[in-house]
Amino acid sequence: MEAVPTPRRAARGRAMSPPGCLREKSPQERCARKIYMDYNATTPLEPEVIQVMTEAMWEAWGNPSSPYTAGKKAKDIISAARESLANMIGGKPQDIVFTSGGTESNNLVIHSMVKCFQESQTPPGGVVEQHSPEEGARPHFVTCTVEHDSIRLPLEHLVEGRVAEVTFVPVSQVNGQAEVDDILAAVRPTTCLVTIMLANNETGVVMPVPEISQRIKALNQRRVASGLPRILVHTDAAQALGKRRVDVEDLGVDFLTIVGHKFYGPRIGALYVRGLGKLTPLHPMLFGGGQERNFRPGTENTPMIAGLGKAAEMVTENCEAYEAHMRDIRDYLEERLQAEFGKRIHLNSRFPGVERLPNTCNFSIQGHQLQGYVVLAQCRTLLASVGASCHSDQGDRPSPVLLSCGIPFDVARNALRLSVGRSTTRAEVDLVVQDLKQAVARLEGQA
């Protein structure tokens, strides 16, 4: 009979405190309480997520490809997680591929489209249709100027290597969005992919992805009739998931990137591919044991996948409540900032008539000495960032995203991004605003 380790009961159901409050603190530490408002950078694991991951480590330690109990249990957990992810985005389980995270998912789409385009240039029999792109042509990508580095950098790398061509469409300085007409105007005969993030990580602006997909779909009908390749649409939904409803049918996309640690799950991810391998092609970057139907081989990380599935399940069940709470707290934060700082506050993420994430507040406190990173260094309570965490080494250089959105240089240089979470309270907002007030006073010599 097979021996299966039994989980330590003490590891189950352990309460998870907010970041910075992971253990009982001394009175001195409690006086210097930290309040986390950088949930767009990463989120803590929900207690339920920790529990299912712990159980998977103890009970589903087997190789998911193995026939014995621990292996079968691991396989069942992976299947259930795949279904939970599909439910979260309104897709089908067979269209979900697990990856190490958002960066891999985005790179997988980009490099897959390069390979797909190259194969289309050498059709069976070597016969090139009359209106097809010229022999030796490079695949063309359309994206926008405020994309995450995991989109921008691989595309720039392909351009440097003369493997592909890319058009970076500027976002509107009126609304912070990539305009649909501008995206369509950038399309060429060699265009193979349009990739536009669903929501920006610094401003929270939601992009018009459904309209882009509709317009590309109509364009594809004409392209196919002319012998041109079909254009596929990808969206990086990292920031949107868990903060607003995301449905691949409403979005109309062919690819969608999922990032677990943005919605209280572990640091792995997944990629949705509409009609994987049938309607939409995908070419693997890795080759190995055949896992994930050969699209992403490698022995599956069962505990992390279990946690990702649980996090997705919680989003499916509670998304509306999460969204309503975060919007209430974010709006209260902006009200308090305006009340405390008056006309000195510039809300960088507010664009008239444009939907934005319910949890994101990007603002500047105007003043010569109040660069964002300087203000943060003076804060004693607030844990936040000046923008994207991947740009945290830029010092006093303004965010390229804000500059692209038309925020003036001197205002952008002072920017702070506060992103609230599921458990953020109004009382914490009050403490943070007071902390900012005191930090500004110290910097201006008024303390």
Side-chain angles (χ1 to χ4, degrees):
M1 182 176 176
E2 184 180 330
V4 179
T6 302
R8 295 173 184 168
R9 297 296 158 183
R12 296 190 181 192
R14 186 174 295 153
M16 181 66 178
S17 301
C21 305
L22 299 182
R23 60 179 173 81
E24 184 64 26
K25 294 178 171 59
S26 67
Q28 293 82 2
E29 288 176 311
R30 283 197 291 270
C31 290
R33 179 189 179 193
K34 299 295 184 181
I35 296 174
Y36 184 75
M37 287 195 180
D38 205 17
Y39 288 90
N40 281 7
T42 197
T43 57
L45 295 172
E46 287 280 13
E48 296 90 337
V49 171
I50 294 175
Q51 180 174 336
V52 299
M53 291 173 65
T54 302
E55 291 175 351
M57 290 178 190
W58 283 105
E59 299 172 0
W61 52 266
N63 190 312
S65 299
S66 301
Y68 39 80
T69 302
K72 289 180 179 178
K73 186 170 182 63
K75 186 174 183 179
D76 289 343
I77 286 173
I78 291 168
S79 296
R82 201 185 308 276
E83 186 167 346
S84 294
L85 284 173
N87 289 338
M88 178 177 67
I89 62 170
K92 299 177 180 177
Q94 61 266 31
D95 291 342
I96 298 292
V97 176
F98 292 110
T99 67
S100 63
T103 294
E104 183 187 339
S105 294
N106 289 343
N107 276 262
L108 181 56
V109 172
I110 290 168
H111 289 286
S112 181
M113 293 310 300
V114 170
K115 181 69 173 176
C116 183
F117 181 88
Q118 291 170 342
E119 288 185 351
S120 73
Q121 298 303 289
T122 55
V127 178
V128 179
E129 294 187 48
Q130 182 178 356
H131 299 290
S132 294
E134 295 180 4
E135 186 176 352
R138 294 192 287 268
H140 175 244
F141 294 80
V142 178
T143 188
C144 72
T145 53
V146 299
E147 289 292 321
H148 189 269
D149 279 355
S150 59
I151 291 290
R152 180 180 63 84
L153 291 178
L155 289 175
E156 289 181 350
H157 181 74
L158 291 174
V159 171
E160 290 170 5
R162 301 183 63 81
V163 175
E165 297 174 338
V166 181
T167 299
F168 290 92
V169 175
V171 294
S172 167
Q173 296 192 358
V174 174
N175 58 30
Q177 291 181 320
E179 298 278 20
V180 180
D181 287 342
D182 293 341
I183 296 294
L184 270 291
V187 168
R188 305 175 186 175
T190 54
T191 302
C192 60
L193 182 74
V194 170
T195 174
I196 301 293
M197 61 180 14
L198 186 50
N200 186 262
N201 49 317
E202 293 191 39
T203 65
V205 167
V206 176
M207 300 293 179
V209 173
E211 187 178 351
I212 292 170
S213 296
Q214 291 170 7
R215 295 279 296 276
I216 292 295
K217 183 177 180 180
L219 177 61
N220 277 336
Q221 293 178 344
R222 300 194 294 272
R223 285 174 66 93
V224 170
S226 301
L228 292 173
R230 186 166 62 101
I231 300 170
L232 300 182
V233 179
H234 166 248
T235 191
D236 180 347
Q239 287 297 338
L241 288 165
K243 301 166 188 169
R244 68 190 297 273
R245 194 174 73 88
V246 174
D247 189 294
V248 291
E249 295 306 317
D250 292 343
L251 295 173
V253 295
D254 302 290
F255 302 100
L256 183 139
T257 292
I258 299 168
V259 181
H261 74 98
K262 304 294 187 181
F263 55 94
Y264 294 74
R267 290 179 182 173
I268 64 167
L271 178 66
Y272 163 81
V273 186
R274 184 182 297 275
L276 175 59
K278 298 177 181 178
L279 181 63
T280 305
L282 189 70
H283 293 268
M285 291 193 296
L286 305 174
F287 298 89
Q291 294 87 353
E292 293 298 284
R293 291 153 291 168
N294 280 314
F295 292 112
R296 204 282 185 179
T299 304
E300 300 90 340
N301 191 339
T302 307
M304 300 287 266
I305 291 173
L308 185 64
K310 184 61 179 180
E313 180 184 321
M314 295 180 71
V315 168
T316 301
E317 294 174 353
N318 305 301
C319 190
E320 289 77 12
Y322 295 154
E323 180 178 3
H325 172 75
M326 288 186 282
R327 178 174 287 107
D328 175 72
I329 297 298
R330 191 273 315 277
D331 289 349
Y332 180 68
L333 169 63
E334 293 183 347
E335 290 170 8
R336 291 288 294 112
L337 288 170
Q338 290 177 310
E340 197 63 60
F341 295 100
K343 294 182 179 180
R344 299 185 69 185
I345 279 287
H346 187 278
L347 296 174
N348 304 320
S349 52
R350 271 194 186 176
F351 295 91
V354 175
E355 182 186 358
R356 57 176 170 146
L357 295 176
N359 78 319
T360 305
C361 172
N362 193 307
F363 67 96
S364 299
I365 306 172
Q366 299 186 62
H368 180 67
Q369 302 163 297
L370 304 181
Q371 293 93 334
Y373 77 101
V374 175
V375 173
L376 276 182
Q378 284 290 324
C379 287
R380 297 173 180 175
T381 298
L382 173 63
L383 299 176
S385 63
V386 297
S389 296
C390 49
H391 295 152
S392 59
D393 61 348
Q394 289 187 345
D396 63 348
R397 285 179 290 171
S399 160
V401 169
L402 295 183
L403 294 177
S404 296
C405 294
I407 305 300
F409 184 95
D410 288 343
V411 177
R413 188 177 58 177
N414 289 14
L416 294 171
R417 181 192 68 179
L418 272 56
S419 46
V420 303
R422 298 173 184 175
S423 60
T424 308
T425 66
R426 288 191 171 209
E428 288 176 325
V429 168
D430 290 336
L431 290 173
V432 162
V433 173
Q434 184 66 20
D435 190 31
L436 286 167
K437 179 182 178 181
Q438 292 171 353
V440 169
R442 284 191 291 272
L443 287 169
E444 295 184 331
Q446 298 173 3

